[in-house]
């Protein structure tokens, strides 16, 4: 991947090079549009020849410069990683990730070059930030100044320029400065791939100064590995600055480079200052002062990051609270109230939102739909699929009360665009209040427990259970029809009930659910609430690891209905 980076006002604006030729100029049709009267309408262009990217001047009025050398008109010249381009007063940097060698892969957007031999002329440990052996009054004044300039800032993006502004006040001999920060981890990048350091801000005291960042790899390695500040009192004679062009061309006479350390003591950034005036070189005392100020700047960065994380968490919590309300609205507020039957349901998500689902509503005046499911997965992904099946069931059952037809349509719709690995174990039933018969289809869910009037607990045969919803379109689900006897009760649960764990990791188990149903109350409401309480007692304070949903319903004679 190649790009051209506009350097303006201490900031970097990248333009990815996806097609060629890529024209640069003032005209709106240019791929890289520049707002300057000193730049021609079609000033220059980038072309690709035999895989190499080249820069061509298009007979511009003020010329096109490559690394300080003016190009001849219509004579393309090859570009190398970190080459400097100038169109009139506008400066760019060319970046080519393919050309960026592995030895400098930790640094992005910099010109890193060294001679065969490099020696460190002066350094100071960054672990000693804030000590006051050298110029204590200057250190205190610098720390107070950086505190004042960064007070109240919580946006990480604007802290770096503020730090450079303050450093230019503290160090009047500084002509150029730059701050590099470790880039955010790319979630798609391999875990072993290290994060690079990229320029966060650049500043120059004079408008005509060279704006590019040019640092020594040896110095950067020393700063990062040793967590030490580096001083070069005379960069022009320092072997560490052997570069692609003479050091006299860079006019660096003195420089300082120090790390920004996190709370854990690991470098997350670098501050670099240099001076072009041979009469105002940096000293050891300046390095100590910069280390003290850098320590306070690092704390400000860490505080801003923590504050940003806190604010992001608050925003996320607020959004999750809204999502919780939206999901709750998808569940029924009330259950059918019909003579001879009692219905109960409870829902407890392990997180703010969950993937369990239930519904119970009237179809016409004499039929009741019972819909119950458990999405594979919990949290936000599970909640999204839960909301989808809730909508699908409501729409489907508004057109048919035939369970065989409805389960096919629901499965077909959920199979469409379903994410891989996401499915729903599901039970759909329709109760005919005139015949007291229930027609039911089971798509991969555990069988309902049926408590008879004599206390015995039955289940449907496992052979009647089909595959979960959302896996195979047109799957032939078996439909079962059964009479609901007087005083009989159905109990449906999700696996958050029988797989609830205590502090020792022991499961509640389905056998315990079955025994609780056998010996518990004959009132669906009382049994459902008591079962949930018993699961909580078993967990004994252990954090809920899955959504817990319980539905109970039963038929009772007019004289035998529970209170």
């Amino acid at each position: 991947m190649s790009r051209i980076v506009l350097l303006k006002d201490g900031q970097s604006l990248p333009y990815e090079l996806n097609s060629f030729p890529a024209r640069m100029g003032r005209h709106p049709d240019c791929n890289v549009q520049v707002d300057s009267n000193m730049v021609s309408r079609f000033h220059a262009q980038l072309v690709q020849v035999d895989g190499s990217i080249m820069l061509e001047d298009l007979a511009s009025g003020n010329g096109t410069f490559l690394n300080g050398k003016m190009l001849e008109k219509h004579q393309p010249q090859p570009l190398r990683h970190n080459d400097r381009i100038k169109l009139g007063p506008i400066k760019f940097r060319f970046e080519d990730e393919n050309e960026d060698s592995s030895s400098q892969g930790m640094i992005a957007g910099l010109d890193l070059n060294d001679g065969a031999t490099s020696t460190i002329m002066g350094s100071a440990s960054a672990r000693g930030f804030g000590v006051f052996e050298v110029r204590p009054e200057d250190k205190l004044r610098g720390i107070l100044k950086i505190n004042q300039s960064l007070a109240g800032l919580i946006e990480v993006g604007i802290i770096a320029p503020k730090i450079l502004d303050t450093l230019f006040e503290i160090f009047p001999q500084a002509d150029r400065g730059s701050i590099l920060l470790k880039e955010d981890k790319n979630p798609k990048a391999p875990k072993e791939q290290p994060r690079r350091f990229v320029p966060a801000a650049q500043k120059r005291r004079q408008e005509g100064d060279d704006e590019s960042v040019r640092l020594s790899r040896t110095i950067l390695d020393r700063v990062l590995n040793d967590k030490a500040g580096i001083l070069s009192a005379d960069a022009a004679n320092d072997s560490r600055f052997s570069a692609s062009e003479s050091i006299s061309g860079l006019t660096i006479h003195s420089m300082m480079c120090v790390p920004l350390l996190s709370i854990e003591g690991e470098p997350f950034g670098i501050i670099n200052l240099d001076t072009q005036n041979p009469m105002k070189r940096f000293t050891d005392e300046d390095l100590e002062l910069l280390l003290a100020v850098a320590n306070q700047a690092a704390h400000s960065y860490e505080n801003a990051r923590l504050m940003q994380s806190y604010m992001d968490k608050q925003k996320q919590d607020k959004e999750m609270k809204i999502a919780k309300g939206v999901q709750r609205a998808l569940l029924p507020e009330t259950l059918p109230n019909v003579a001879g039957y009692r219905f109960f349901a409870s829902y407890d998500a392990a997180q703010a939102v969950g993937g369990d689902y239930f519904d119970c509503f009237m179809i016409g005046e004499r039929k009741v739909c019972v819909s119950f499911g458990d999405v594979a997965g919990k949290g936000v992904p599970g909640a999204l699929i839960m909301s989808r099946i809730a909508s699908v069931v409501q729409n489907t059952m508004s057109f048919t009360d035939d369970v065989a037809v409805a389960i096919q349509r629901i499965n077909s719709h959920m199979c469409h665009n379903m994410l891989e690995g996401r499915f729903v174990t599901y039970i759909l039933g329709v109760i005919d209040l005139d015949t007291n018969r229930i027609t039911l289809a089971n798509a991969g869910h555990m069988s309902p427990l049926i408590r008879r009037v004599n206390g015995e607990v039955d289940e449907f045969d496992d052979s009647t259970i089909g595959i979960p919803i959302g896996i195979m379109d047109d799957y032939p689900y078996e439909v079962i029809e059964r009479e609901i006897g007087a005083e009989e009760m159905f109990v449906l649960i999700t696996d958050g009930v029988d797989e609830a764990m205590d502090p020792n990791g022991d499961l509640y188990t389905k056998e315990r659910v079955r025994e609780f149903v056998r010996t518990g109350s004959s009132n669906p409401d009382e049994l459902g609430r008591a079962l949930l309480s018993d699961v909580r007692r078993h967990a004994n304070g252990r954090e809920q690891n899955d959504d817990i949903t319980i539905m109970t319903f039963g038929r009772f004679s007019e004289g035998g209905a529970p209170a």
Side-chain angles (χ1 to χ4, degrees), residues 109-130:
L110 303 178
D111 188 357
L112 303 177
N113 291 281
D114 270 331
T117 60
S118 296
T119 58
I120 302 298
M121 295 176 60
S123 65
S125 173
R127 297 180 182 87
F129 284 163

Side-chain angles (χ1 to χ4, degrees), residues 131-181:
V131 293
F132 288 87
E133 290 85 350
V134 180
R135 293 163 58 185
E137 68 285 353
D138 287 342
K139 286 189 176 182
L140 181 59
R141 190 159 38 245
I143 291 172
L144 291 175
K145 185 168 290 188
I146 203 75
N147 272 341
Q148 291 173 352
S149 66
L150 302 180
L153 294 182
I154 60 174
E155 295 184 32
V156 175
I158 65 176
I159 290 180
K162 278 282 189 181
I163 292 175
L164 285 182
D165 289 342
T166 306
L167 290 177
F168 271 47
E169 294 180 24
I170 298 174
F171 299 99
Q173 68 271 50
D175 290 309
R176 289 177 299 206
S178 60
I179 294 180
L180 284 65
L181 295 178

Side-chain angles (χ1 to χ4, degrees), residues 337-342 486-488 521-524 526 554-563:
N337 183 14
V338 294
Y341 282 85
R342 295 291 186 273
E487 315 302 325
E488 283 189 345
S521 171
S522 60
N523 185 326
E526 290 180 0
R555 176 190 169 205
F556 302 93
S557 62
E558 290 299 324

Side-chain angles (χ1 to χ4, degrees), residues 7 34 44 52 99 143 207 218 284 323 325 328 340 373 404 449 517 550:
L7 306 173
V34 180
S52 298
E99 190 179 333
I143 291 172
E207 189 65 29
T218 298
D284 290 334
R328 289 287 179 178
L449 300 177
V517 171
I550 300 170

Side-chain angles (χ1 to χ4, degrees), residues 456-471:
E456 293 181 359
V457 177
D458 287 344
E459 297 181 43
F460 290 104
D461 191 276
D462 287 345
S463 63
T464 64
I465 301 176
I467 66 173
I469 293 291
I471 294 179

